[in-house]
Every structure is written in C-alpha cells, then in structure tokens.
Amino acid sequence: MAWAKRCGTRVTFQVAFNAYEVVPRMYGVKMDTPESDRLWASWLKAVAALMRELGLGWKDWSIEVWDEPHPKEVESLLRGLRILREVTPEMMVTVPFVSQPNHYPLAELKRVMPYIDTVYFHDETYFRNPGYHDYIASLVASGKTVYHYTCSTRMFEDLDREFRQNAWMAERWNLGGNNLFHIVDAQGGTGASDWKAPMAGGLLYRSYGTFVPSVRYMALRQGVQDVKYVAALKKLGGNDRVTMDSIAKAVRLVTENPAGGDPHLADKVRDKVAARILTLTSR
C-alpha cells in the first residue's frame, strides 16, 4: 500500500479463486451442509478481521465467492452469497460468469445479481450475444460494476478479436474495467529463464528477473493505447454531438470486427481519431 501511494496509484486485493467451494474442501467438510455453513461464516469473519488488521478498508479488497459457476450450481451459489451477506454485509463480492456452454439464463442471473458487487461477464457468451445486451446495459445504468473478460489459454487466438478489442469493449459498454486471464504462467523462482517455453495462455515470458512480452500482449497494449486516443477526443469534443456520435460509431465498428476480419481496422480507426484530435487542437 505504501508503494502504491508513492507511485500515485491505488492497489486493491482479491481473495480468490472459488472461495465458497475451496473453504469446506480445505477442512474435509461436505458443501451445502449445516457444518459447511458454520465453517463458511466463521472463515468470512476471520478474513474480514485479518484485512482490518492489515489496515484495509472494505473498498480495498474483494472476495471471489465462486469462479465461473455452472448454472446447475445456482442454488449452492445463492446459499453461499446469502450467508456472506448475513455475516459480513459490507464485504465486496465478485463472481465471473463463464463462456459456453455454461452460460446463465437471464432469469438465474437476476436471482444472484443483488448479492454481487462486481460481476465479470465473458466476452463471447455475454457481450457478443445480443440476448444479453439489454440486461448488461441495464446493470451498467443502475450503477452495478460490470467487467468484460476473456480467458483463453490458447496462443493462437485472433489478435484483434481476443486481445486488441479487450479495452475497446470496456469503452463501448462504459464498464468498470476489463479482465484478461492470464498474465504469466512460466514456472520457476528467482533466476528462472523460461522465455523459450510455450505458454499455456500467459501473455508474458519469464526471462530471469524480468519479462518478455508476447505478440498477444502487445496487441492488448495497443488496444489500451487506442482507447486513450478515444478518451482524448472525447475530452476535446465536449458537447459536440457530431464528434460524440462519430466516436460511438467508431467504437462499435471496431468491436464488431469478427475473428478473421480486417486485422488493420483498429489502426485505421485510431488514425482517424488522431487526425480529428489534431484538427481540434490546431483551431
């Protein structure tokens, strides 16, 4: 925390993954029993006490109650969430909802959503599925913190669709943030040199005490830079409806570029955004 303050940034922490399932398993207790309910409640109180002892407020950390729950597990998920809200009502809760075929019907999402502070929706299953668009938009409008995430473990995904569009999706939907699983998977301690090893989804290669970025990582970084250009144009455009409408159309164009589509589309859009910024700043 002191490091973050010196750097002028804010760090938050997450207790993960899959806490509701892992806690009883650690103690050899069967899930969804009176014994596991007592254990879960006791563990939640202990974690909250530890975080207070470390000087962390409720907004400084969260707990991932269940990692990508299957729809058939919705009653177990609700059971764990209800106990959490009873014993630690201020605790920040996150739940990621996964890709096909384990997508949640809207009716089930609406049952669990009141207990969740930050929800992660998978890219393909939810954000690319028109059947969920109105619901996601309503959650964002209501103030719910919604994240977009992808979690491929393949090295050969489409660079634009899977990585460069990641940040653009948050821009399009006005989201609280983005997640991409995962950053690095090379094994070994200090001094390890695994940069020649193929990844199992990680975006960075280990190289002794530092890291070597992959092409996938650079595509992700390009997307972040892209939306910084968009943010700059938004600031300059202000209340100019023509400019703001053009931005919305550009963002939609990029995020609807399919896998195997024009690999240079984001570059073309960013060039136009940059040109517009130069025009406005030269006036």
Side-chain angles (χ1 to χ4, degrees):
M1 299 294 285
W3 166 84
K5 289 179 180 179
R6 289 198 303 271
C7 295
T9 188
R10 179 172 178 263
V11 175
T12 58
F13 302 89
Q14 185 179 66
V15 180
F17 299 103
N18 214 25
Y20 182 65
E21 187 273 334
V22 169
V23 169
R25 180 155 49 89
M26 286 192 303
Y27 295 94
V29 174
K30 186 178 179 180
M31 277 183 63
D32 296 335
T33 62
E35 185 179 5
S36 71
D37 290 348
R38 290 190 294 270
L39 178 63
W40 175 237
S42 177
W43 184 84
L44 289 168
K45 293 176 183 177
V47 171
L50 174 62
M51 294 302 185
R52 285 195 299 270
E53 183 180 329
L54 295 172
L56 299 177
W58 290 113
K59 300 294 185 182
D60 296 324
W61 64 284
S62 63
I63 181 169
E64 191 202 65
V65 172
W66 202 306
D67 188 49
E68 302 179 342
H70 193 283
K72 68 182 181 182
E73 298 163 329
V74 66
E75 298 302 332
S76 291
L77 174 60
L78 281 166
R79 183 171 182 151
L81 290 170
R82 286 166 179 156
I83 293 171
L84 183 150
R85 287 301 179 213
E86 288 174 6
V87 300
T88 50
E90 295 176 286
M91 188 176 286
M92 302 296 290
V93 172
T94 69
V95 178
F97 290 94
V98 72
S99 57
Q100 297 279 15
N102 297 339
H103 66 286
Y104 266 60
L106 279 173
E108 302 292 11
L109 284 175
K110 291 176 180 179
R111 291 180 67 198
V112 302
M113 206 56 60
Y115 300 95
I116 300 171
D117 297 293
T118 299
V119 57
Y120 304 161
F121 285 127
H122 184 266
D123 176 270
E124 192 70 33
T125 308
Y126 298 98
F127 285 100
R128 310 284 185 179
N129 186 337
Y132 290 95
H133 285 182
D134 288 346
Y135 182 61
I136 293 174
S138 71
L139 288 176
V140 173
S142 73
K144 178 77 70 178
T145 302
V146 180
Y147 276 44
H148 160 270
Y149 91 106
T150 55
C151 56
S152 173
T153 56
R154 299 197 313 154
M155 295 174 63
F156 305 105
E157 295 284 2
D158 184 277
L159 290 175
D160 178 75
R161 173 79 170 221
E162 185 75 12
F163 303 102
R164 189 160 185 177
Q165 288 186 32
N166 193 278
W168 283 89
M169 291 297 287
E171 175 64 31
R172 174 174 175 177
W173 290 92
N174 192 29
L175 302 179
N178 267 317
N179 270 16
L180 191 148
F181 182 84
H182 57 285
I183 193 69
V184 63
D185 56 9
Q187 302 300 310
T190 302
S193 177
D194 298 327
W195 66 273
K196 293 182 181 180
M199 295 291 97
L203 300 181
L204 297 175
Y205 297 87
R206 284 289 302 276
S207 180
Y208 297 97
T210 187
F211 296 92
V212 177
S214 65
V215 173
R216 292 164 293 127
Y217 176 86
M218 296 309 294
L220 179 70
R221 182 172 180 269
Q222 280 183 308
V224 174
Q225 291 176 324
D226 292 342
V227 297
K228 287 183 177 180
Y229 276 75
V230 172
L233 182 54
K234 278 185 171 181
K235 187 175 181 179
L236 289 168
N239 296 321
D240 181 1
R241 178 47 51 192
V242 173
T243 297
M244 302 309 284
D245 286 346
S246 297
I247 291 172
K249 290 178 182 178
V251 172
R252 184 174 291 273
L253 181 66
V254 171
T255 55
E256 291 180 355
N257 190 30
D262 183 356
H264 305 296
L265 180 59
D267 291 312
K268 296 172 183 175
V269 171
R270 185 162 96 171
D271 287 346
K272 290 182 178 180
V273 171
R276 182 61 178 163
I277 290 172
L278 290 173
T279 298
L280 292 174
T281 54
S282 65
R283 288 177 178 175

